[in-house]
Amino acid sequence: MKALVTRLDSFGDVLLAGPAVRAVAARADHVTLLCGPRGAPAARLLPGVDDILVWDAPWVGFEPPDVDREETDRLVDAIDADTALILTSFHQSPLPTALLLRLAGVGRIAADSEDYPGSLLDLRHHRAPHAHEAEAALDLAEAAGFPRPDDGRLRVLPPPATSDLTGPEPYVVLHPGASVPARAWSPEHSAEAVRELTGAGHRVVVTGGPDERDLTAYAAGAHGLDLGGRTGARELAGVLAGAAAVVTGNTAPAHLAAAVGTPVVSLFAPVVPAERWRPYGVPYVLLGDQDAPCAGSRARTCPVPGHPCLNTVTATDVVTAVEKLLGEA
């Protein structure tokens, strides 16, 4: 049986699909993961994936491409599967993807859908109202005939050793950036946290992408080790795997840390619900006002002056949370 799993949005979303991908891989002869360009680096880290199709869907993302008939035709021609699982977030519709899969000749298609699917779905599943994204994907897989084969935690392929980048353990990682501004702690708070963590006896490694070098340099200051722009996805997995704890917002490194088994201090802005997006399967401490006025708004830029849901969190709060996690470990 050839199976296709789709998760078309971001890096972290693809990581959260990993347990469901493993469930499909345990029963299928071949698993293709259809993902978007932002999710492709995560797709390459997932156990159970035999092949990857990358397509920038015009109904996904903050800057979606125009609809292109030739690109769509190429995707339809490239799909070769007997059965498919369409994984989406709780607020997304699977039906545009289902239409393309049906045109590609996929015989059986399953998805969570509140909208009437007509003949586009063979299994119209309803997710549990408060399910975590990883659990919702596993529930759909099980309903489609792919029961979970393991503990269902996030996992990635073994990352490389990164001590040449980080120096010796132990260390704590602080990742100050986020995919959208509403989910980010302020640079000033991040820099203060590096200073206070260092003062409490922790060696701090600061991570970030190539476009976050100014931020990571500012946060690291004279006290932290700045790795901004120096890690691809696999190397970042290795850095996070070696950490005693990771401090980050609701962004991809929180899920990558969980996938390598590292505890997380989660600076969580409630623009999306923590019950669906918190670090999954590892010890964590959630910081941030989950009842702030922005709760549930899915805002990309904080709609409340001063960003109080996160900026009321202090560096001392972060140090206390890190030490709580280290004490539990």
Side-chain angles (χ1 to χ4, degrees):
M1 174 178 56
K2 294 180 180 179
L4 179 81
V5 180
T6 77
R7 184 76 207 213
L8 291 170
D9 26 25
S10 71
F11 189 106
D13 300 310
V14 171
L15 289 178
L16 292 173
V21 169
R22 296 198 309 272
V24 173
R27 294 291 183 97
D29 301 308
H30 187 278
V31 177
T32 298
L33 182 58
L34 171 60
C35 61
R38 292 186 302 143
R44 298 185 183 102
L45 300 179
L46 292 184
V49 175
D50 298 302
D51 189 26
I52 297 169
L53 281 176
V54 181
W55 188 61
D56 198 0
W59 56 86
V60 176
F62 303 131
E63 297 178 355
D66 293 334
V67 176
D68 185 303
R69 176 66 177 268
E70 291 183 359
E71 286 290 327
T72 303
D73 288 345
R74 276 194 286 270
L75 174 69
V76 169
D77 291 342
I79 292 170
D80 180 18
D82 307 303
T83 186
L85 209 65
I86 303 173
L87 303 180
T88 56
S89 295
F90 70 98
H91 60 277
Q92 296 170 330
S93 171
L95 299 186
T97 305
L99 176 59
L100 296 186
L101 299 186
R102 196 61 92 197
L103 290 173
V106 177
R108 187 169 189 270
I109 303 173
D112 289 327
S113 184
E114 296 307 314
D115 299 320
Y116 172 64
S119 60
L120 296 181
L121 298 178
D122 300 286
L123 173 63
R124 178 193 185 189
H125 185 256
H126 296 279
R127 70 164 60 198
H130 304 289
H132 191 281
E133 291 292 305
E135 284 288 342
L138 278 168
D139 289 347
L140 173 61
E142 186 161 14
F146 302 103
R148 62 182 73 192
D150 51 40
D151 60 9
R153 291 175 61 171
L154 306 189
R155 285 195 179 87
V156 292
L157 297 170
T162 53
S163 58
D164 57 329
L165 287 171
T166 64
E169 300 177 11
Y171 58 86
V172 171
V173 166
L174 184 137
H175 187 93
S179 55
V180 295
R183 301 183 190 181
W185 209 25
S186 74
E188 294 76 18
H189 280 75
S190 295
E192 185 179 0
V194 170
R195 293 193 295 269
E196 290 205 16
L197 284 165
T198 302
H202 304 287
R203 197 163 69 84
V204 183
V205 173
V206 181
T207 59
D211 58 343
E212 296 175 320
R213 287 189 176 99
D214 290 345
L215 172 61
T216 60
Y218 180 84
H223 302 277
L225 173 63
D226 178 16
L227 294 185
R230 297 175 60 191
T231 56
R234 293 183 69 248
E235 293 76 21
L236 181 58
V239 170
L240 299 179
V246 174
V247 180
T248 184
N250 174 28
T251 194
H255 304 306
L256 190 55
V260 295
T262 302
V264 179
V265 175
S266 177
L267 295 155
F268 202 101
V271 289
V272 295
E275 65 183 1
R276 293 189 174 110
W277 298 101
R278 60 171 173 74
Y280 184 75
V282 293
Y284 68 95
V285 174
L286 201 70
L287 298 178
D289 181 4
Q290 300 307 297
D291 297 316
C294 65
S297 66
R298 303 212 302 269
R300 296 176 58 194
T301 301
C302 182
V304 183
H307 200 17
C309 69
L310 286 186
N311 284 343
T312 52
V313 178
T314 68
T316 301
D317 294 331
V318 166
V319 174
T320 301
V322 166
E323 295 186 342
K324 177 179 186 294
L325 289 175
L326 298 186
E328 291 175 353

